[in-house]
Amino acid sequence: MSSSDVLDSHRDSEPALLDLETGLQELIARGYQFVHPADERGEVLAVVGVRVHDDVVDVVRLNGEDDVVALRVPGTEENILDPETWLWRSEGAATEVLVEVLALPDESAAAEARVKGCWVPGRGGTSKWLAAR
């Protein structure tokens, strides 16, 4: 089943569900890059998918299968993991949130203000630059 099948059924009836593996594969296919923020001992705190496009940044933070937060933030937001401003937000189980993320439109209202990438906090106080595709 493709994400378009899942999304079509989501629009036509009750909310469809998407298993975690298929959802992650769809995010990768759409250009999400993944980082794994860790604590000072090196233990992974979450799996974070980031996609920079047009003038926005889409973020999916998986803390667990039943604890997922997804955001669309302006490209000017300094801290995408704890933004001051967000344009869209969803949280809950991965099976539900990933369907919502994949249903978001790609178009941006201000495409002329394209973002080139964003900084994502990393291990030991460092940051990683994720370039837009």
mmCIF file of all heavy atoms in Angstrom, residues 44-89:
data_model
loop_
_atom_site.group_PDB
_atom_site.id
_atom_site.type_symbol
_atom_site.label_atom_id
_atom_site.label_comp_id
_atom_site.label_asym_id
_atom_site.label_seq_id
_atom_site.Cartn_x
_atom_site.Cartn_y
_atom_site.Cartn_z
ATOM 1 N N VAL A 44 20.479 7.800 23.014
ATOM 2 C CA VAL A 44 19.597 8.477 22.071
ATOM 3 C C VAL A 44 18.313 8.884 22.789
ATOM 4 O O VAL A 44 17.674 8.069 23.457
ATOM 5 C CB VAL A 44 19.284 7.565 20.864
ATOM 6 C CG1 VAL A 44 18.246 8.200 19.956
ATOM 7 C CG2 VAL A 44 20.553 7.258 20.086
ATOM 8 N N LEU A 45 17.954 10.145 22.652
ATOM 9 C CA LEU A 45 16.751 10.680 23.287
ATOM 10 C C LEU A 45 15.524 10.553 22.391
ATOM 11 O O LEU A 45 14.410 10.406 22.873
ATOM 12 C CB LEU A 45 16.958 12.151 23.645
ATOM 13 C CG LEU A 45 18.106 12.444 24.606
ATOM 14 C CD1 LEU A 45 18.321 13.948 24.717
ATOM 15 C CD2 LEU A 45 17.825 11.832 25.965
ATOM 16 N N ALA A 46 15.739 10.633 21.078
ATOM 17 C CA ALA A 46 14.643 10.584 20.118
ATOM 18 C C ALA A 46 15.215 10.342 18.727
ATOM 19 O O ALA A 46 16.422 10.444 18.519
ATOM 20 C CB ALA A 46 13.868 11.897 20.134
ATOM 21 N N VAL A 47 14.334 10.039 17.802
ATOM 22 C CA VAL A 47 14.681 9.989 16.387
ATOM 23 C C VAL A 47 13.945 11.165 15.761
ATOM 24 O O VAL A 47 12.725 11.284 15.901
ATOM 25 C CB VAL A 47 14.249 8.651 15.746
ATOM 26 C CG1 VAL A 47 14.471 8.680 14.242
ATOM 27 C CG2 VAL A 47 14.983 7.492 16.390
ATOM 28 N N VAL A 48 14.694 12.060 15.118
ATOM 29 C CA VAL A 48 14.108 13.288 14.591
ATOM 30 C C VAL A 48 14.309 13.340 13.081
ATOM 31 O O VAL A 48 15.441 13.296 12.597
ATOM 32 C CB VAL A 48 14.741 14.534 15.249
ATOM 33 C CG1 VAL A 48 14.113 15.808 14.692
ATOM 34 C CG2 VAL A 48 14.599 14.479 16.763
ATOM 35 N N GLY A 49 13.201 13.435 12.367
ATOM 36 C CA GLY A 49 13.232 13.608 10.919
ATOM 37 C C GLY A 49 12.991 15.065 10.585
ATOM 38 O O GLY A 49 12.092 15.701 11.151
ATOM 39 N N VAL A 50 13.805 15.612 9.669
ATOM 40 C CA VAL A 50 13.717 17.025 9.315
ATOM 41 C C VAL A 50 13.706 17.149 7.795
ATOM 42 O O VAL A 50 14.518 16.517 7.107
ATOM 43 C CB VAL A 50 14.919 17.821 9.885
ATOM 44 C CG1 VAL A 50 14.843 19.285 9.481
ATOM 45 C CG2 VAL A 50 14.982 17.678 11.396
ATOM 46 N N ARG A 51 12.792 17.963 7.295
ATOM 47 C CA ARG A 51 12.756 18.254 5.864
ATOM 48 C C ARG A 51 12.611 19.751 5.699
ATOM 49 O O ARG A 51 11.654 20.353 6.180
ATOM 50 C CB ARG A 51 11.603 17.539 5.168
ATOM 51 C CG ARG A 51 11.577 17.786 3.667
ATOM 52 C CD ARG A 51 10.514 16.971 3.005
ATOM 53 N NE ARG A 51 9.213 17.527 3.302
ATOM 54 C CZ ARG A 51 8.251 17.701 2.384
ATOM 55 N NH1 ARG A 51 8.459 17.347 1.134
ATOM 56 N NH2 ARG A 51 7.094 18.204 2.736
ATOM 57 N N VAL A 52 13.566 20.358 5.034
ATOM 58 C CA VAL A 52 13.548 21.788 4.765
ATOM 59 C C VAL A 52 13.096 21.973 3.325
ATOM 60 O O VAL A 52 13.658 21.378 2.416
ATOM 61 C CB VAL A 52 14.951 22.401 4.967
ATOM 62 C CG1 VAL A 52 14.923 23.892 4.723
ATOM 63 C CG2 VAL A 52 15.490 22.071 6.348
ATOM 64 N N HIS A 53 12.057 22.774 3.127
ATOM 65 C CA HIS A 53 11.604 23.059 1.765
ATOM 66 C C HIS A 53 10.884 24.391 1.734
ATOM 67 O O HIS A 53 10.319 24.831 2.725
ATOM 68 C CB HIS A 53 10.709 21.938 1.229
ATOM 69 C CG HIS A 53 9.453 21.725 2.018
ATOM 70 N ND1 HIS A 53 8.239 22.203 1.608
ATOM 71 C CD2 HIS A 53 9.242 21.103 3.197
ATOM 72 C CE1 HIS A 53 7.325 21.866 2.492
ATOM 73 N NE2 HIS A 53 7.900 21.192 3.476
ATOM 74 N N ASP A 54 10.950 25.039 0.575
ATOM 75 C CA ASP A 54 10.349 26.353 0.390
ATOM 76 C C ASP A 54 10.764 27.259 1.541
ATOM 77 O O ASP A 54 11.929 27.450 1.778
ATOM 78 C CB ASP A 54 8.831 26.241 0.252
ATOM 79 C CG ASP A 54 8.435 25.426 -0.976
ATOM 80 O OD1 ASP A 54 9.137 25.544 -1.994
ATOM 81 O OD2 ASP A 54 7.453 24.672 -0.914
ATOM 82 N N ASP A 55 9.821 27.779 2.300
ATOM 83 C CA ASP A 55 10.140 28.680 3.402
ATOM 84 C C ASP A 55 9.784 28.074 4.759
ATOM 85 O O ASP A 55 9.577 28.787 5.726
ATOM 86 C CB ASP A 55 9.434 30.029 3.218
ATOM 87 C CG ASP A 55 7.918 29.884 3.229
ATOM 88 O OD1 ASP A 55 7.428 28.766 2.974
ATOM 89 O OD2 ASP A 55 7.219 30.876 3.495
ATOM 90 N N VAL A 56 9.704 26.729 4.814
ATOM 91 C CA VAL A 56 9.312 26.053 6.048
ATOM 92 C C VAL A 56 10.237 24.879 6.351
ATOM 93 O O VAL A 56 10.987 24.415 5.482
ATOM 94 C CB VAL A 56 7.856 25.541 5.981
ATOM 95 C CG1 VAL A 56 6.876 26.687 5.839
ATOM 96 C CG2 VAL A 56 7.671 24.535 4.861
ATOM 97 N N VAL A 57 10.147 24.397 7.594
ATOM 98 C CA VAL A 57 10.864 23.204 8.020
ATOM 99 C C VAL A 57 9.829 22.270 8.639
ATOM 100 O O VAL A 57 9.074 22.670 9.534
ATOM 101 C CB VAL A 57 11.953 23.540 9.067
ATOM 102 C CG1 VAL A 57 12.678 22.276 9.508
ATOM 103 C CG2 VAL A 57 12.929 24.567 8.520
ATOM 104 N N ASP A 58 9.773 21.046 8.139
ATOM 105 C CA ASP A 58 8.900 20.025 8.719
ATOM 106 C C ASP A 58 9.742 19.157 9.639
ATOM 107 O O ASP A 58 10.836 18.722 9.260
ATOM 108 C CB ASP A 58 8.278 19.156 7.623
ATOM 109 C CG ASP A 58 7.292 19.937 6.753
ATOM 110 O OD1 ASP A 58 6.726 20.931 7.235
ATOM 111 O OD2 ASP A 58 7.091 19.534 5.596
ATOM 112 N N VAL A 59 9.234 18.904 10.842
ATOM 113 C CA VAL A 59 9.964 18.154 11.860
ATOM 114 C C VAL A 59 9.062 17.051 12.403
ATOM 115 O O VAL A 59 7.904 17.308 12.741
ATOM 116 C CB VAL A 59 10.392 19.063 13.029
ATOM 117 C CG1 VAL A 59 11.167 18.279 14.076
ATOM 118 C CG2 VAL A 59 11.202 20.249 12.533
ATOM 119 N N VAL A 60 9.595 15.836 12.477
ATOM 120 C CA VAL A 60 8.900 14.720 13.107
ATOM 121 C C VAL A 60 9.829 14.179 14.181
ATOM 122 O O VAL A 60 10.934 13.736 13.884
ATOM 123 C CB VAL A 60 8.558 13.609 12.095
ATOM 124 C CG1 VAL A 60 7.886 12.441 12.793
ATOM 125 C CG2 VAL A 60 7.677 14.145 10.979
ATOM 126 N N ARG A 61 9.382 14.247 15.434
ATOM 127 C CA ARG A 61 10.193 13.769 16.565
ATOM 128 C C ARG A 61 9.526 12.536 17.145
ATOM 129 O O ARG A 61 8.416 12.612 17.674
ATOM 130 C CB ARG A 61 10.323 14.860 17.625
ATOM 131 C CG ARG A 61 11.177 14.407 18.794
ATOM 132 C CD ARG A 61 11.265 15.486 19.858
ATOM 133 N NE ARG A 61 11.978 14.996 21.004
ATOM 134 C CZ ARG A 61 13.132 15.481 21.435
ATOM 135 N NH1 ARG A 61 13.696 16.488 20.822
ATOM 136 N NH2 ARG A 61 13.703 14.969 22.494
ATOM 137 N N LEU A 62 10.228 11.389 17.034
ATOM 138 C CA LEU A 62 9.720 10.137 17.576
ATOM 139 C C LEU A 62 10.398 9.852 18.901
ATOM 140 O O LEU A 62 11.574 9.497 18.944
ATOM 141 C CB LEU A 62 9.988 8.991 16.589
ATOM 142 C CG LEU A 62 9.244 9.106 15.261
ATOM 143 C CD1 LEU A 62 10.184 9.562 14.178
ATOM 144 C CD2 LEU A 62 8.609 7.798 14.925
ATOM 145 N N ASN A 63 9.645 10.035 19.972
ATOM 146 C CA ASN A 63 10.136 9.705 21.306
ATOM 147 C C ASN A 63 9.812 8.251 21.628
ATOM 148 O O ASN A 63 10.450 7.640 22.476
ATOM 149 C CB ASN A 63 9.496 10.621 22.353
ATOM 150 C CG ASN A 63 9.802 12.078 22.072
ATOM 151 O OD1 ASN A 63 10.949 12.449 21.883
ATOM 152 N ND2 ASN A 63 8.772 12.901 22.017
ATOM 153 N N GLY A 64 8.814 7.696 20.974
ATOM 154 C CA GLY A 64 8.360 6.321 21.128
ATOM 155 C C GLY A 64 7.208 6.118 20.157
ATOM 156 O O GLY A 64 6.706 7.078 19.572
ATOM 157 N N GLU A 65 6.762 4.872 19.968
ATOM 158 C CA GLU A 65 5.694 4.605 19.002
ATOM 159 C C GLU A 65 4.403 5.333 19.336
ATOM 160 O O GLU A 65 3.626 5.663 18.452
ATOM 161 C CB GLU A 65 5.432 3.106 18.889
ATOM 162 C CG GLU A 65 6.454 2.394 18.036
ATOM 163 C CD GLU A 65 6.042 0.979 17.704
ATOM 164 O OE1 GLU A 65 4.963 0.790 17.107
ATOM 165 O OE2 GLU A 65 6.810 0.067 18.045
ATOM 166 N N ASP A 66 4.160 5.571 20.608
ATOM 167 C CA ASP A 66 2.944 6.256 21.027
ATOM 168 C C ASP A 66 3.206 7.697 21.452
ATOM 169 O O ASP A 66 2.351 8.337 22.049
ATOM 170 C CB ASP A 66 2.276 5.498 22.177
ATOM 171 C CG ASP A 66 1.762 4.145 21.733
ATOM 172 O OD1 ASP A 66 1.332 4.032 20.565
ATOM 173 O OD2 ASP A 66 1.792 3.202 22.534
ATOM 174 N N ASP A 67 4.388 8.195 21.157
ATOM 175 C CA ASP A 67 4.771 9.552 21.558
ATOM 176 C C ASP A 67 5.530 10.222 20.418
ATOM 177 O O ASP A 67 6.756 10.220 20.385
ATOM 178 C CB ASP A 67 5.628 9.504 22.828
ATOM 179 C CG ASP A 67 5.988 10.887 23.353
ATOM 180 O OD1 ASP A 67 5.446 11.891 22.854
ATOM 181 O OD2 ASP A 67 6.837 10.952 24.261
ATOM 182 N N VAL A 68 4.756 10.771 19.465
ATOM 183 C CA VAL A 68 5.333 11.416 18.287
ATOM 184 C C VAL A 68 4.807 12.846 18.228
ATOM 185 O O VAL A 68 3.621 13.085 18.452
ATOM 186 C CB VAL A 68 4.952 10.662 16.996
ATOM 187 C CG1 VAL A 68 5.481 11.383 15.761
ATOM 188 C CG2 VAL A 68 5.465 9.235 17.047
ATOM 189 N N VAL A 69 5.692 13.780 17.940
ATOM 190 C CA VAL A 69 5.317 15.181 17.753
ATOM 191 C C VAL A 69 5.787 15.585 16.365
ATOM 192 O O VAL A 69 6.940 15.359 16.003
ATOM 193 C CB VAL A 69 5.979 16.091 18.817
ATOM 194 C CG1 VAL A 69 5.628 17.550 18.556
ATOM 195 C CG2 VAL A 69 5.574 15.675 20.215
ATOM 196 N N ALA A 70 4.876 16.168 15.593
ATOM 197 C CA ALA A 70 5.214 16.650 14.255
ATOM 198 C C ALA A 70 4.865 18.126 14.166
ATOM 199 O O ALA A 70 3.852 18.569 14.701
ATOM 200 C CB ALA A 70 4.440 15.860 13.203
ATOM 201 N N LEU A 71 5.739 18.869 13.499
ATOM 202 C CA LEU A 71 5.579 20.316 13.384
ATOM 203 C C LEU A 71 5.928 20.790 11.985
ATOM 204 O O LEU A 71 6.787 20.204 11.320
ATOM 205 C CB LEU A 71 6.533 21.047 14.329
ATOM 206 C CG LEU A 71 6.522 20.724 15.797
ATOM 207 C CD1 LEU A 71 7.824 21.171 16.429
ATOM 208 C CD2 LEU A 71 5.373 21.434 16.454
ATOM 209 N N ARG A 72 5.310 21.872 11.579
ATOM 210 C CA ARG A 72 5.778 22.653 10.443
ATOM 211 C C ARG A 72 6.064 24.028 11.009
ATOM 212 O O ARG A 72 5.182 24.659 11.590
ATOM 213 C CB ARG A 72 4.739 22.723 9.332
ATOM 214 C CG ARG A 72 5.174 23.633 8.175
ATOM 215 C CD ARG A 72 4.323 23.471 6.961
ATOM 216 N NE ARG A 72 4.744 22.264 6.260
ATOM 217 C CZ ARG A 72 4.156 21.816 5.145
ATOM 218 N NH1 ARG A 72 3.130 22.459 4.627
ATOM 219 N NH2 ARG A 72 4.600 20.716 4.562
ATOM 220 N N VAL A 73 7.315 24.468 10.880
ATOM 221 C CA VAL A 73 7.727 25.749 11.444
ATOM 222 C C VAL A 73 8.264 26.646 10.333
ATOM 223 O O VAL A 73 8.713 26.160 9.295
ATOM 224 C CB VAL A 73 8.794 25.571 12.560
ATOM 225 C CG1 VAL A 73 8.254 24.716 13.696
ATOM 226 C CG2 VAL A 73 10.075 24.982 12.018
ATOM 227 N N PRO A 74 8.223 27.951 10.558
ATOM 228 C CA PRO A 74 8.808 28.861 9.563
ATOM 229 C C PRO A 74 10.308 28.594 9.422
ATOM 230 O O PRO A 74 10.976 28.212 10.389
ATOM 231 C CB PRO A 74 8.577 30.253 10.169
ATOM 232 C CG PRO A 74 7.560 30.076 11.234
ATOM 233 C CD PRO A 74 7.658 28.664 11.700
ATOM 234 N N GLY A 75 10.838 28.803 8.246
ATOM 235 C CA GLY A 75 12.263 28.603 8.003
ATOM 236 C C GLY A 75 13.152 29.528 8.806
ATOM 237 O O GLY A 75 14.340 29.276 8.958
ATOM 238 N N THR A 76 12.576 30.566 9.364
ATOM 239 C CA THR A 76 13.344 31.509 10.170
ATOM 240 C C THR A 76 13.439 31.099 11.636
ATOM 241 O O THR A 76 14.133 31.749 12.414
ATOM 242 C CB THR A 76 12.691 32.903 10.097
ATOM 243 O OG1 THR A 76 11.315 32.790 10.501
ATOM 244 C CG2 THR A 76 12.767 33.465 8.686
ATOM 245 N N GLU A 77 12.771 30.018 12.013
ATOM 246 C CA GLU A 77 12.771 29.564 13.408
ATOM 247 C C GLU A 77 14.167 29.097 13.793
ATOM 248 O O GLU A 77 14.777 28.291 13.096
ATOM 249 C CB GLU A 77 11.768 28.423 13.586
ATOM 250 C CG GLU A 77 11.541 28.007 14.997
ATOM 251 C CD GLU A 77 10.944 29.102 15.869
ATOM 252 O OE1 GLU A 77 9.978 29.761 15.451
ATOM 253 O OE2 GLU A 77 11.474 29.300 16.973
ATOM 254 N N GLU A 78 14.689 29.605 14.905
ATOM 255 C CA GLU A 78 16.058 29.283 15.320
ATOM 256 C C GLU A 78 16.198 27.895 15.927
ATOM 257 O O GLU A 78 17.189 27.219 15.706
ATOM 258 C CB GLU A 78 16.585 30.339 16.280
ATOM 259 C CG GLU A 78 16.869 31.644 15.585
ATOM 260 C CD GLU A 78 17.622 32.614 16.463
ATOM 261 O OE1 GLU A 78 18.391 32.177 17.332
ATOM 262 O OE2 GLU A 78 17.431 33.823 16.254
ATOM 263 N N ASN A 79 15.237 27.458 16.728
ATOM 264 C CA ASN A 79 15.322 26.158 17.382
ATOM 265 C C ASN A 79 14.144 25.308 16.933
ATOM 266 O O ASN A 79 13.045 25.409 17.490
ATOM 267 C CB ASN A 79 15.322 26.310 18.910
ATOM 268 C CG ASN A 79 15.497 24.988 19.622
ATOM 269 O OD1 ASN A 79 15.445 23.920 19.031
ATOM 270 N ND2 ASN A 79 15.699 25.053 20.921
ATOM 271 N N ILE A 80 14.358 24.458 15.932
ATOM 272 C CA ILE A 80 13.258 23.679 15.376
ATOM 273 C C ILE A 80 12.771 22.578 16.309
ATOM 274 O O ILE A 80 11.683 22.056 16.120
ATOM 275 C CB ILE A 80 13.627 23.086 13.998
ATOM 276 C CG1 ILE A 80 14.778 22.095 14.127
ATOM 277 C CG2 ILE A 80 13.921 24.192 13.004
ATOM 278 C CD1 ILE A 80 15.015 21.275 12.888
ATOM 279 N N LEU A 81 13.567 22.206 17.313
ATOM 280 C CA LEU A 81 13.126 21.181 18.253
ATOM 281 C C LEU A 81 12.273 21.756 19.383
ATOM 282 O O LEU A 81 11.530 21.035 20.039
ATOM 283 C CB LEU A 81 14.323 20.422 18.828
ATOM 284 C CG LEU A 81 15.143 19.647 17.797
ATOM 285 C CD1 LEU A 81 16.287 18.918 18.480
ATOM 286 C CD2 LEU A 81 14.276 18.672 17.010
ATOM 287 N N ASP A 82 12.376 23.048 19.608
ATOM 288 C CA ASP A 82 11.571 23.736 20.617
ATOM 289 C C ASP A 82 11.248 25.128 20.080
ATOM 290 O O ASP A 82 11.724 26.136 20.591
ATOM 291 C CB ASP A 82 12.337 23.820 21.942
ATOM 292 C CG ASP A 82 11.482 24.367 23.070
ATOM 293 O OD1 ASP A 82 10.232 24.303 22.971
ATOM 294 O OD2 ASP A 82 12.061 24.882 24.043
ATOM 295 N N PRO A 83 10.419 25.174 19.028
ATOM 296 C CA PRO A 83 10.193 26.459 18.349
ATOM 297 C C PRO A 83 9.299 27.410 19.135
ATOM 298 O O PRO A 83 8.437 26.986 19.910
ATOM 299 C CB PRO A 83 9.499 26.022 17.054
ATOM 300 C CG PRO A 83 8.771 24.784 17.426
ATOM 301 C CD PRO A 83 9.681 24.087 18.415
ATOM 302 N N GLU A 84 9.524 28.696 18.913
ATOM 303 C CA GLU A 84 8.646 29.713 19.483
ATOM 304 C C GLU A 84 7.373 29.835 18.655
ATOM 305 O O GLU A 84 6.311 30.141 19.178
ATOM 306 C CB GLU A 84 9.366 31.056 19.540
ATOM 307 C CG GLU A 84 10.488 31.096 20.538
ATOM 308 C CD GLU A 84 11.142 32.466 20.601
ATOM 309 O OE1 GLU A 84 10.505 33.467 20.205
ATOM 310 O OE2 GLU A 84 12.297 32.529 21.057
ATOM 311 N N THR A 85 7.498 29.582 17.345
ATOM 312 C CA THR A 85 6.376 29.703 16.420
ATOM 313 C C THR A 85 6.247 28.425 15.611
ATOM 314 O O THR A 85 7.250 27.875 15.165
ATOM 315 C CB THR A 85 6.617 30.871 15.434
ATOM 316 O OG1 THR A 85 6.853 32.059 16.186
ATOM 317 C CG2 THR A 85 5.440 31.073 14.509
ATOM 318 N N TRP A 86 5.033 27.960 15.423
ATOM 319 C CA TRP A 86 4.793 26.834 14.522
ATOM 320 C C TRP A 86 3.554 27.120 13.694
ATOM 321 O O TRP A 86 2.661 27.841 14.114
ATOM 322 C CB TRP A 86 4.721 25.501 15.251
ATOM 323 C CG TRP A 86 3.889 25.460 16.500
ATOM 324 C CD1 TRP A 86 4.322 25.687 17.771
ATOM 325 C CD2 TRP A 86 2.493 25.188 16.605
ATOM 326 N NE1 TRP A 86 3.273 25.566 18.650
ATOM 327 C CE2 TRP A 86 2.140 25.255 17.969
ATOM 328 C CE3 TRP A 86 1.506 24.885 15.689
ATOM 329 C CZ2 TRP A 86 0.847 25.038 18.424
ATOM 330 C CZ3 TRP A 86 0.206 24.663 16.137
ATOM 331 C CH2 TRP A 86 -0.096 24.734 17.496
ATOM 332 N N LEU A 87 3.543 26.558 12.473
ATOM 333 C CA LEU A 87 2.448 26.780 11.545
ATOM 334 C C LEU A 87 1.425 25.651 11.599
ATOM 335 O O LEU A 87 0.255 25.847 11.264
ATOM 336 C CB LEU A 87 2.997 26.900 10.122
ATOM 337 C CG LEU A 87 4.089 27.951 9.949
ATOM 338 C CD1 LEU A 87 4.750 27.817 8.597
ATOM 339 C CD2 LEU A 87 3.515 29.335 10.163
ATOM 340 N N TRP A 88 1.875 24.483 11.998
ATOM 341 C CA TRP A 88 1.034 23.288 12.107
ATOM 342 C C TRP A 88 1.684 22.378 13.133
ATOM 343 O O TRP A 88 2.907 22.339 13.250
ATOM 344 C CB TRP A 88 0.950 22.585 10.743
ATOM 345 C CG TRP A 88 0.217 21.301 10.777
ATOM 346 C CD1 TRP A 88 -1.125 21.110 10.628
ATOM 347 C CD2 TRP A 88 0.768 19.990 10.961
ATOM 348 N NE1 TRP A 88 -1.433 19.778 10.718
ATOM 349 C CE2 TRP A 88 -0.275 19.072 10.924
ATOM 350 C CE3 TRP A 88 2.062 19.518 11.172
ATOM 351 C CZ2 TRP A 88 -0.079 17.701 11.075
ATOM 352 C CZ3 TRP A 88 2.262 18.158 11.333
ATOM 353 C CH2 TRP A 88 1.200 17.266 11.274
ATOM 354 N N ARG A 89 0.858 21.627 13.884
ATOM 355 C CA ARG A 89 1.390 20.733 14.913
ATOM 356 C C ARG A 89 0.427 19.576 15.126
ATOM 357 O O ARG A 89 -0.788 19.747 15.094
ATOM 358 C CB ARG A 89 1.587 21.495 16.219
ATOM 359 C CG ARG A 89 2.098 20.646 17.357
ATOM 360 C CD ARG A 89 2.187 21.483 18.640
ATOM 361 N NE ARG A 89 2.380 20.653 19.781
ATOM 362 C CZ ARG A 89 3.563 20.321 20.308
ATOM 363 N NH1 ARG A 89 4.665 20.782 19.756
ATOM 364 N NH2 ARG A 89 3.644 19.556 21.359
#
